[in-house]
Amino acid sequence: QPRDKSSMIRSVVVTVAPSTHLIQRIDYTDRDGNQTSFAFSGYHRRAASADTFTFAPPAGVQVIRAD
C-alpha cells in the first residue's frame, strides 16, 4: 500500500520464478482500481559486463556491504 494517499499506484506485485529467480509477471493497481498486468516469457539471460551498471550512493548515506 502507498504511504501517500495521492499516489498514482495503489499496489504492485512482482512474481518471480523460484527456480530461476527471473521475473515472470508484474501486476499493478492504480489509485482508481484499474489493474494492469505484464507477463514475461521467452527471454534469455546473458552475462552483463561490470560497466553496465554503476552505483554512487548519495552523500551522507550509510552503505552496508553484504560480502
Side-chain angles (χ1 to χ4, degrees):
Q1 295 297 322
R3 294 180 189 154
D4 183 351
K5 296 289 184 197
S6 66
S7 294
M8 296 295 290
I9 295 178
R10 184 184 300 168
S11 66
V12 176
V13 176
V14 178
T15 304
V16 177
S19 60
T20 62
H21 305 285
L22 296 175
I23 295 174
Q24 291 180 317
R25 184 178 185 88
I26 298 175
D27 300 292
Y28 76 86
T29 305
D30 69 17
R31 68 178 175 190
D32 297 323
N34 299 308
Q35 297 179 338
T36 302
S37 297
F38 297 95
F40 302 94
S41 65
Y43 61 91
H44 305 281
R45 286 192 330 194
R46 64 181 176 94
S49 82
D51 298 337
T52 302
F53 178 78
T54 57
F55 175 71
V61 171
Q62 179 183 10
V63 176
I64 299 172
R65 297 190 58 90
D67 6 288

